[in-house]
Amino acid sequence: MSKVYITTAIPYVNGVPHIGHAMDYCLADTYARYRELIGDDVRFQAGTDEHGNKIFLKAKELGEPVEDYVSKNAKIFQDFITELGVSYTDFIRTTDASHERLCQEIWKRLKEHIYTDRYEGWYCTGCERYVTEKECQENNGVCPDHQKPYEKLEEDNYYLRISDFKEQIKNAIESDEMLILPDFRKKEVLKLLEDSPDVSISRPRSQLTWGVPVPDDETQVMYVWIDALTNYITVLGYPDENISDWWPATAQFVGKDILRFHAIIWPAILIGLGLPLPKVLVSHGMVLSNGQKMSKSIGNVVDPREVLNRHGIDAFRYFFLRHIDTFADSDFTWDKFEDAYNNELANDLGNLVQRLATLAKKNDIVRGSAKLNLPDDYKELMNNFDFSKAFDLVWERIQGINKKIDEEKPWSLAKNGEREKLESCMSELINELLLANEMLKPFLPNAAEKIAKVFAGPIIPPETPLFPKA
Ligand code: MSP
C-alpha cells in the first residue's frame, strides 16, 4: 500500500463554477478512486483561491463585503464538487487564517532567494500576471484571454530569483523526476523556462489590498500566485508539520493555461524550501462550448449544475471523462451530451444491466464467483493518466458483452432446456460485466455501486432503468 497525494488547481471565486472547472476534479477524482481501488491510501486536496484584485473588484461591483462574497462563492464551489462525487479529503481556502500564517512562514524561509526591485511594464488583471513587452506586442496590447487592454504598471516589488533554481528545474523536467504530461507540454515548458525571468511575488498595498501581507513589510502584499501555489503544502500543515508522509505529491492536476506557474514558479518555491518536487504534473486541455472558448460576452458559458440536473452525476462524469479528451481541447455541446447519454449510457450500459439481470432472475441463475483482476492494458493507461483512453477500453468491453449476448442467445438455451450451457454462458456474461464494472468504478462510482448491488446476492433487476431515456 502506498501513500498517494493528489491535488487540484484551486479556482478563483470571482464567479460560480462553469463546466471547465469540472475537468480538474473529474480527472483527479478518477485517479484517486483508481489508486484506492488498487489498495492505496489516498489524500486528496481541493480548495478555493480567494485573494487578488479580480475578486476584490467583483465584490465591490456587487456592493458586497469581500469576505462575504468569497465565502458565498467558496461554498458554491465546494457544494458543486461534492455533488460531482469528488472524493476529496481536504478542502482549503486561501483566506483560512492557518493558510495565511503558514504562507507567511514560507515567505520567511525563502528570504535568501527574494530581493526587491522596481517593475515597469505591462500587467493583465484578468490573468493576475505581468506580461513581457514581447507578449504585449504579439497580442497588440490586448489580453487574448480576457479581451482587456494590458495596463502599464510602475511599482516596487519583491522578486523570487528563479535563476537560482533554473538548472535544477530543467534537470528535473528533462529527467522526468518531475514528469510533465502530456509530453508535448513538457517540451513547451522547457522552452518557456529558458527565457523565464525572475518573478515578482508581491504588490504594493496601494495596488492590492486583498491579499496576505508580506511579513515585516507593511507596504507590500503577496502576489496571488505565491499565496495560491503554497496551498498544496499548507493544507498538509507545512511548515509546522512534517509532511513527508504525503509530500511529494503523487500527481498534481492543472489546466494547460496554468501549467507554466506549476512547472516553473512552484518548483522554484519547493527547491527554495528544500522540499522535493511533485512526481507528476498532469496538464489537461480546455473544454470548449460549441467549438469556442467559453466567455460571458459570447454567451456560451455552460452552467455545470444545469448539466448535472439534466441526467444526474453519472451522465456528467461519463461525458467529461470519456468524450472530453484528457489532454486535448474538446467540445461540449448539448447535442453531443444527449447523444452520449441516450446511445451509450442508456443503450449500451443501462440496457445491458437490465437485460442480464432479467434473464438471470427469470432463469434462477446464481452468479458463479470469479476474481476481478483489472486487465493490464487498463492499468497501464490509468497509471499513465490517459483516462479517456482507459474509459474507451471499458466501453469496448461493455459493447463486447452486448454482442456476446446477441450471439450466444441465452434465451434460446433456456427455451431448449440446455441448462448447463445456459448456466455457464450466463455466469460468464455476468462475470465479464462485473469486471467491466470494476474498471468503471473510478469513472462512475455511483452507477458502479448500483450495478454491483444488482448482482451482489440473489440477482434483482433494477426496478427502474439505470439511465431512463430522455
Ligand atoms: N486560481 C488559479 C489556480 C491556482 S492553483 C494554485 C486559476 N483558477 S481558475 O478558476 O481560472 O481555473 C481553475 C482550474 O480550472 C484550472 O486548472 C484551469 O485550467 C481550469 N479551467 C478553467 N477553465 C477551463 C476550461 N474551459 N476547460 C478546462 N479547464 C479549465 O487558474
Side-chain angles (χ1 to χ4, degrees):
M1 185 168 89
S2 322
K3 284 203 179 302
V4 169
Y5 179 43
I6 295 168
T7 75
T8 49
I10 49 174
Y12 295 122
V13 292
N14 59 327
V16 293
H18 59 64
I19 50 171
H21 288 123
M23 272 325 271
D24 279 303
Y25 301 122
C26 285
L27 298 175
D29 187 59
T30 298
Y31 189 62
R33 288 177 186 272
Y34 167 68
R35 295 298 300 247
E36 262 165 22
L37 189 62
I38 61 174
D40 292 326
D41 187 6
V42 176
R43 191 152 174 187
F44 180 175
Q45 157 280 13
T48 40
D49 193 352
E50 304 187 8
H51 288 126
N53 276 337
K54 223 176 2 175
I55 291 166
F56 185 76
L57 294 174
K58 187 77 199 176
K60 214 166 139 193
E61 181 191 316
L62 296 171
E64 291 178 35
V66 66
E67 291 84 358
D68 296 355
Y69 177 70
V70 295
S71 292
K72 182 183 73 185
N73 282 350
K75 179 158 186 324
I76 294 175
F77 269 95
Q78 191 169 5
D79 288 350
F80 167 60
I81 68 173
T82 306
E83 262 184 76
L84 251 191
V86 177
S87 54
Y88 63 93
T89 55
D90 297 79
F91 193 90
I92 179 164
R93 299 178 52 190
T94 54
T95 52
D96 288 340
S98 62
H99 169 75
E100 294 190 3
R101 182 179 62 77
L102 296 172
C103 198
Q104 289 177 320
E105 277 306 311
I106 288 173
W107 180 287
K108 288 184 200 158
R109 289 181 183 216
L110 288 171
K111 208 76 207 213
E112 63 178 289
H113 303 286
I114 294 176
Y115 62 93
T116 44
D117 202 357
R118 188 148 187 84
Y119 173 82
E120 288 174 19
W122 301 102
Y123 185 75
C124 171
T125 338
C127 302
E128 300 270 22
R129 73 179 179 94
Y130 292 121
V131 177
T132 59
E133 189 60 47
K134 190 170 151 224
E135 198 175 345
C136 180
Q137 271 179 18
E138 278 169 3
N139 294 327
N140 295 322
V142 178
C143 171
D145 288 342
H146 298 95
Q147 299 300 330
K148 270 194 204 153
Y150 296 123
E151 287 169 38
K152 188 104 200 179
L153 271 193
E154 218 176 293
E155 58 187 38
D156 288 322
N157 289 171
Y158 284 98
Y159 283 83
L160 181 65
R161 212 179 288 110
I162 296 288
S163 44
D164 287 354
F165 314 105
K166 246 188 198 175
E167 229 14 66
Q168 243 178 299
I169 299 174
K170 183 167 170 257
N171 291 340
I173 297 176
E174 277 175 346
S175 67
D176 293 340
E177 176 197 331
M178 177 175 79
L179 176 66
I180 295 181
L181 291 175
D183 195 56
F184 66 90
R185 296 258 173 252
K186 164 177 163 179
K187 298 196 175 94
E188 283 173 13
V189 166
L190 282 168
K191 187 96 201 59
L192 270 175
L193 180 67
E194 266 173 34
D195 309 324
S196 194
D198 290 348
V199 293
S200 149
I201 53 170
S202 76
R203 297 285 177 273
R205 198 178 276 283
S206 54
Q207 286 285 339
L208 172 74
T209 47
W210 183 238
V212 183
V214 167
D216 310 319
D217 184 346
E218 283 174 3
T219 68
Q220 296 271 328
V221 170
M222 284 184 209
Y223 169 50
V224 279
W225 273 99
I226 294 300
D227 151 27
L229 288 164
T230 50
N231 93 85
Y232 301 127
I233 49 177
T234 61
V235 74
L236 301 175
Y238 184 87
D240 282 359
E241 281 167 46
N242 177 350
I243 59 169
S244 61
D245 267 359
W246 300 104
W247 192 264
T250 314
Q252 300 204 258
F253 289 83
V254 297
K256 68 174 189 188
D257 54 332
I258 58 169
L259 177 64
R260 61 162 79 187
F261 299 98
H262 287 79
I264 299 174
I265 307 180
W266 180 222
I269 296 174
L270 289 167
I271 299 169
L273 294 170
L275 289 173
L277 303 187
K279 290 183 195 148
V280 188
L281 289 177
V282 184
S283 151
H284 61 78
M286 292 291 120
V287 182
L288 307 173
S289 161
N290 284 310
Q292 281 176 297
K293 194 180 152 69
M294 269 180 287
S295 106
K296 282 193 191 129
S297 52
I298 302 175
N300 64 347
V301 180
V302 181
D303 178 352
R305 280 160 310 180
E306 213 182 306
V307 184
L308 264 175
N309 290 341
R310 184 81 188 104
H311 299 299
I313 173 180
D314 294 311
F316 190 111
R317 292 177 64 117
Y318 177 77
F319 189 84
F320 283 88
L321 286 162
R322 179 145 187 253
H323 289 286
I324 300 286
D325 187 278
T326 303
F327 300 121
D329 293 353
S330 314
D331 198 24
F332 174 92
T333 68
W334 281 102
D335 282 351
K336 285 187 196 175
F337 177 68
E338 293 294 345
D339 274 358
Y341 176 76
N342 286 311
N343 300 333
E344 296 165 19
L345 263 183
N347 273 357
D348 293 343
L349 182 60
N351 281 354
L352 170 62
V353 172
Q354 200 75 34
R355 233 172 145 193
L356 263 189
T358 309
L359 268 168
K361 182 158 184 241
K362 196 167 157 199
N363 295 292
D364 289 324
I365 302 289
V366 181
R367 183 198 156 213
S369 64
K371 250 181 89 62
L372 302 174
N373 286 326
L374 294 172
D376 288 342
D377 52 357
Y378 168 84
K379 282 201 284 192
E380 195 182 324
L381 288 169
M382 294 299 272
N383 290 336
N384 292 332
F385 305 89
D386 212 342
F387 304 116
S388 45
K389 290 222 175 65
F391 208 166
D392 284 343
L393 278 188
V394 184
W395 221 257
E396 277 164 27
R397 281 180 177 254
I398 289 167
Q399 289 169 329
I401 304 168
N402 275 313
K403 200 161 157 242
K404 200 160 161 181
I405 301 182
D406 292 341
E407 284 165 4
E408 301 198 352
K409 302 187 176 53
W411 52 90
S412 302
L413 298 174
K415 204 165 140 203
N416 300 339
E418 297 179 82
R419 182 73 201 170
E420 217 171 289
K421 263 195 181 169
L422 172 69
E423 276 178 13
S424 85
C425 163
M426 284 296 292
S427 151
E428 220 174 89
L429 288 165
I430 293 169
N431 284 330
E432 278 179 32
L433 172 60
L434 289 178
L435 177 57
N437 197 44
E438 198 71 3
M439 296 158 74
L440 199 62
K441 277 181 181 171
F443 297 100
L444 308 183
N446 193 47
E449 198 186 324
K450 287 189 196 155
I451 294 170
K453 266 199 195 134
V454 168
F455 297 95
I459 298 171
I460 306 166
E463 272 173 29
T464 50
L466 280 182
F467 306 107
K469 283 249 185 150

